[in-house]
Amino acid sequence: MSDLKQHIASAFDRDLEGIQAQILKMGGLVEAAIHDAAKSLETRDEELAEQVRSGDKAIDVLEEMLNDEAARVIALRAPTAGDLRVVLSVMRMSANLERIGDLAKNMAKRTSVLAQLQPIGSSTSALRRMARDVEHMLKDALDAYIKRDEALARDVIDRDSDVDQMYNTLFREFLTFMLEDPRNITSCMHLHFIAKNIERMGDHVTSIAEQVVFLTSGALPVEDRVKGDRTSSDPKLSTDFELE
């Protein structure tokens, strides 16, 4: 290889390393956002919730930087085959991470509202357990990306059904609480929206894991993933629930 070709190849490798380092940094911020949003809800810590809300800006900035850098790499380096898959997977993963960050921020927005209302059973503890499962899924999806571990990525995809089942259980519990006492309706509606946001986080983590499969095999998983969320067919329950 000539010196020029070697220099170009080396610069390209540095570009790929750079954008992959940034996606992992972004992933770390999103993991922390999930953890802190769920903790602030359970402990009614409005200060921690505000940190989650303000911290979302850093996640948004990273997504924009990653997209710009990935577009630059494609334009200047014209990557092919495996290298192109790396760049495309980073772009798709960053979009999913940004959305998870938005959902964590939306969780945190409801903490200040729920802090003024009566607790509903052990619901906040259950929501924190559900969020912890999603957080662990995200950690494993990012580990699978680092290690190019297709088996681990597929395991993450399979675990999304557990999150769906947790959501279905909570949804039924919230309905029961509302039917038993109309005074629970406001709290349960907010708690349901949070549960739905966490369930959607699981969907986005699953999409990240699918990108790892794409990266390692060259194709997205072909089998249909069965969704365990039985409420998503109801248009009244399948919209984005976000507070201003």
Side-chain angles (χ1 to χ4, degrees):
M1 182 182 293
S2 70
D3 290 344
L4 177 58
K5 288 183 178 179
Q6 189 170 13
H7 173 75
I8 293 173
S10 178
F12 184 34
D13 288 342
R14 287 196 299 271
D15 287 340
L16 292 181
E17 289 171 5
I19 61 175
Q20 290 181 100
Q22 289 292 82
I23 199 72
L24 296 177
K25 179 181 178 181
M26 189 179 179
L29 291 178
V30 173
E31 282 184 54
I34 298 171
H35 177 273
D36 290 346
K39 181 179 179 181
S40 70
L41 174 68
E42 185 178 27
T43 61
R44 298 191 164 210
D45 188 336
E46 295 184 58
E47 183 178 345
L48 182 58
E50 180 54 36
Q51 290 177 20
V52 174
R53 294 176 65 176
S54 60
D56 186 59
K57 296 182 182 68
I59 295 171
D60 293 342
V61 167
L62 273 173
E63 187 207 13
E64 187 174 347
M65 289 174 55
L66 274 164
N67 283 335
D68 289 346
E69 183 62 16
R72 187 188 70 82
V73 168
I74 291 174
L76 293 181
R77 310 297 185 192
T80 58
D83 289 336
L84 180 59
R85 288 203 300 270
V86 170
V87 179
L88 293 176
S89 66
V90 163
M91 295 177 72
R92 291 164 181 162
M93 288 168 64
S94 68
N96 281 290
L97 287 171
E98 189 275 335
R99 187 62 188 133
I100 297 169
D102 283 347
L103 292 166
K105 178 179 68 174
N106 195 40
M107 279 181 64
K109 287 178 180 179
R110 295 185 185 274
T111 292
S112 58
V113 178
L114 287 164
Q116 312 305 317
L117 301 172
Q118 282 292 108
I120 303 295
S122 59
S123 56
T124 54
S125 296
L127 287 167
R128 189 174 184 184
R129 288 194 297 273
M130 186 178 173
R132 187 165 56 239
D133 281 1
V134 172
E135 182 187 345
H136 290 164
M137 284 172 62
L138 177 56
K139 180 182 182 301
D140 286 345
L142 294 171
D143 285 346
Y145 176 74
I146 295 169
K147 300 172 183 175
R148 303 297 195 261
D149 188 336
E150 183 179 344
L152 180 57
R154 290 185 180 276
D155 178 64
V156 171
I157 294 168
D158 291 341
R159 281 152 55 190
D160 185 52
S161 61
D162 296 333
V163 175
D164 292 341
Q165 290 304 318
M166 294 174 74
Y167 167 74
N168 290 329
T169 299
L170 282 168
F171 177 71
R172 289 192 295 269
E173 289 180 2
F174 294 147
L175 284 179
T176 300
F177 279 120
M178 287 189 283
L179 291 171
E180 288 178 348
D181 188 345
R183 290 173 297 181
N184 292 330
I185 290 175
T186 300
S187 293
C188 285
M189 288 298 289
H190 282 292
L191 291 166
H192 166 249
F193 296 159
I194 288 172
K196 187 62 180 175
N197 283 337
I198 297 172
E199 186 270 332
R200 285 188 173 161
M201 290 181 195
D203 291 341
H204 287 290
V205 173
T206 298
S207 294
I208 291 171
E210 288 174 345
Q211 287 305 311
V212 177
V213 175
F214 167 71
L215 182 60
T216 55
S217 69
L220 289 168
V222 294
E223 62 271 16
D224 290 332
R225 185 165 61 91
V226 178
K227 281 295 297 171
D229 169 16
R230 301 190 187 95
T231 69
S232 59
S233 59
D234 186 340
K236 295 179 181 178
L237 299 174
S238 61
T239 55
D240 283 326
F241 307 110
E242 296 188 0
L243 291 177
E244 293 298 329

